[in-house]
Amino acid sequence: MTDRPLVAGVDTSTQSCKVVVCDAATGEVVRTGRGTHPDATEVDPARWWDAWQSATAGGLLDDVQALAVGGQQHGMVLLDDADEVVRPALLWNDTRSAGTARDLVDELGGPQAWADAVGIVPLAAITAAKVRWVRDAEPASMERATRVVLPHDWLTGRILADRGGFEGWTTDAGDASGTGWFDAATREYRPDLLRLAAGRDLALPRVAGPAEVVGRTRDGMALAPGTGDNMGAALGLGLGRGDVVVSLGTSGTAFARHDRPTADPSGFVQSFADAEGGFLPLVCTLNAARVLTAGAAMLGVDLAGLDELALAAEPGAGGLTLLPFLDGERTPNLPDATASLHGLTRTNATPENLARAVVEGMLLGLASAVDAVRERAGCPVDRVLLIGGAAASRAVRAVAPDVLGAPVAVPEPGEYVAVGAARQAAWALAGGDAPPMWPVAVEATVDPRAPERGAEVRARYAEVLRAAHP
């Protein structure tokens, strides 16, 4: 037993299930656990449950009074009338729904109609496009389905069902706002848009309040509604005005908190709700940390070796420019694109320049995202908070301030999605108008050193991108 209240947060991400147990008052992480997910773009949710059980084995949740789940956004989990999973969940990074996304955009009247309706324009990643894909490609699956939930919804419900506290499916406004059938501005579902996608009505989870207790286990542990992974990270970092997060994980994201919704008809900026009653304008790319691992493999080095090579090259990589679309791309909307290297000559063909081009290419995709959050959503950019696995790279930290065009702060390594979920759990446990204040330690802050070189690299990247994908 412990004399201090403990809460837990979960990050059921693309690659793994991570659980942190925190002091509810201070946010101090006192225990952690982890389980692994399959590396795929469609996954049987039973594998998420296996990872949850691995992550929480050995009494990890002993004395925990409240828990919340943060989860990968946009994943589609279809359930039948017995709440059994109809088919493997389609994840955000499954691009088979690119064509159905275009169909949905056209059928409603174009991008502006979608931006006005729900603040986002369907791309392959968006849940509505995946539902339409199942309707068209697997009509028997759609015929069997009666309900659609998101990954964090499913795990929250499964935990409650396993521990005797399930009362019905729930979600939160943050994760719901990434579906294509929830309006972040009004905090209401658009069932007509779900019908447009599915061709029929499907039941949806109830949208709970930000600090609501949605169920209690038989031993009394409260579950908060949870949220999407980006909203969870915003909670974990305690974002303030002028902060923009750049997250470099499997995907890359740039987002900031805002007090009003955005309607960007280009689809570049998606107007999500956050997990605190406000808004989270966000840009997401498919390609981030894996660009570095692919570059290291191509050069026959590990990630530390990639850092050494990249830091030995001059800014601009001798004129090399990498378009890093290794897995296609979500933003810009190029689902069928491949990566390409431009400007290669006999003079600049060195391992150092190639390594530098890999690091710059990954960051340049996110530089456009930061610009969009600033210019299209109207969020000030006083500093960039750099998180995710690739934020540990020495080369990324050195290159990012010039390429992103802002001072870069690197918080101490941490599972910020899971910590944000734990902070939500502490909020639900304590009640009140706002989550508890938990400090966030910054490991390093780096100012731009050669902003003019950064501007040159960005201009060249934009020119190459226009030429390759007019």
Side-chain angles (χ1 to χ4, degrees):
M1 293 289 292
T2 178
D3 59 358
R4 56 180 175 173
L6 298 178
V7 293
V10 182
D11 176 11
T12 179
S13 71
T14 313
Q15 296 176 311
S16 62
C17 179
K18 290 154 282 193
V19 183
V20 300
V21 176
C22 300
D23 183 305
T26 67
E28 177 192 357
V29 176
V30 298
R31 296 194 292 268
T32 64
R34 190 177 191 276
T36 301
H37 291 164
D39 183 10
T41 63
E42 67 170 36
V43 173
D44 184 343
R47 303 285 73 78
W48 298 338
W49 184 248
D50 293 343
W52 155 260
Q53 292 184 305
S54 296
T56 56
L60 186 84
L61 298 180
D62 288 354
D63 303 323
V64 167
Q65 297 183 28
L67 177 145
V69 178
Q72 53 179 301
Q73 287 187 254
H74 311 308
M76 180 206 67
V77 185
L78 291 175
L79 303 175
D80 65 15
D81 55 10
D83 283 340
E84 296 295 326
V85 175
V86 169
R87 70 171 318 283
L90 288 176
L91 307 189
W92 63 274
N93 54 352
D94 192 306
T95 60
R96 286 176 288 182
S97 46
T100 56
R102 290 190 292 268
D103 292 343
L104 287 173
V105 172
D106 291 343
E107 289 169 22
L108 192 65
Q112 187 68 62
W114 278 96
D116 292 340
V118 290
I120 63 176
V121 179
L123 304 171
I126 301 301
T127 321
K130 299 180 185 306
V131 167
R132 170 60 73 86
W133 183 86
V134 173
R135 190 203 77 171
D136 292 350
E138 300 177 359
S141 295
M142 185 55 68
E143 181 63 28
R144 183 182 159 202
T146 61
R147 184 183 310 275
V148 59
V149 301
L150 298 166
H152 110 259
D153 309 338
W154 184 87
L155 188 57
T156 300
R158 184 72 173 80
I159 292 168
L160 284 168
D162 182 66
R163 293 173 173 242
F166 181 77
E167 298 177 0
W169 295 100
T170 59
T171 191
D172 88 305
D175 211 3
S177 63
T179 59
W181 55 72
F182 182 85
D183 183 0
T186 63
R187 297 304 206 258
E188 293 179 349
Y189 279 127
R190 288 287 304 266
D192 57 319
L193 298 183
L194 178 56
R195 282 193 296 273
L196 181 67
R200 51 183 289 230
D201 287 320
L202 293 171
L204 294 169
R206 180 178 67 84
V207 181
E212 183 180 336
V213 173
V214 300
R216 292 185 183 271
T217 64
R218 65 174 64 91
D219 57 0
M221 183 174 68
L223 265 74
T227 192
D229 51 4
N230 294 296
M231 299 79 194
L235 262 178
L237 290 163
L239 290 194
R241 181 174 173 80
D243 290 337
V244 174
V245 175
V246 169
S247 177
L248 302 174
T250 304
S251 63
T253 55
F255 56 86
R257 291 197 66 210
H258 208 358
D259 59 1
R260 61 180 185 272
T262 303
D264 179 8
S266 73
F268 212 87
V269 178
Q270 295 165 331
S271 184
F272 294 149
D274 71 3
E276 300 180 60
F279 300 92
L280 198 79
L282 180 144
V283 180
C284 182
T285 70
L286 277 181
N287 298 279
R290 287 175 173 174
V291 176
L292 301 187
T293 56
M298 185 166 54
L299 287 162
V301 297
D302 59 11
L303 289 173
L306 184 76
D307 276 351
E308 293 293 337
L309 290 170
L311 290 169
E314 291 294 318
L320 287 182
T321 300
L322 176 71
L323 298 183
F325 308 145
L326 295 167
D327 293 316
E329 190 46 84
R330 167 174 170 169
T331 313
N333 186 21
L334 300 168
D336 300 319
T338 58
S340 52
L341 185 66
H342 299 258
L344 185 65
T345 68
R346 194 158 44 84
T347 303
N348 64 17
T350 67
E352 292 80 5
N353 282 330
L354 181 55
R356 182 83 183 201
V358 165
V359 173
E360 290 180 348
M362 179 192 71
L363 287 169
L364 284 160
L366 274 302
S368 298
V370 172
D371 288 345
V373 169
R374 179 196 292 113
E375 296 164 8
R376 302 187 190 197
C379 297
V381 183
D382 297 330
R383 67 170 181 168
V384 169
L385 294 171
L386 199 63
I387 64 170
S393 161
R394 291 190 302 120
V396 168
R397 294 186 184 193
V399 172
D402 289 331
V403 169
L404 299 179
V408 169
V410 184
E412 287 187 355
E415 299 295 346
Y416 286 103
V417 174
V419 168
R423 189 172 174 227
Q424 185 195 67
W427 187 10
L429 185 66
D433 296 330
M437 297 299 294
W438 287 359
V440 177
V442 173
E443 186 176 84
T445 300
V446 185
D447 292 324
R449 296 175 182 173
E452 68 287 345
R453 296 297 301 273
E456 291 172 6
V457 171
R458 290 166 64 135
R460 189 175 73 219
Y461 180 87
E463 182 179 347
V464 169
L465 179 60
R466 281 193 297 269
H469 302 283

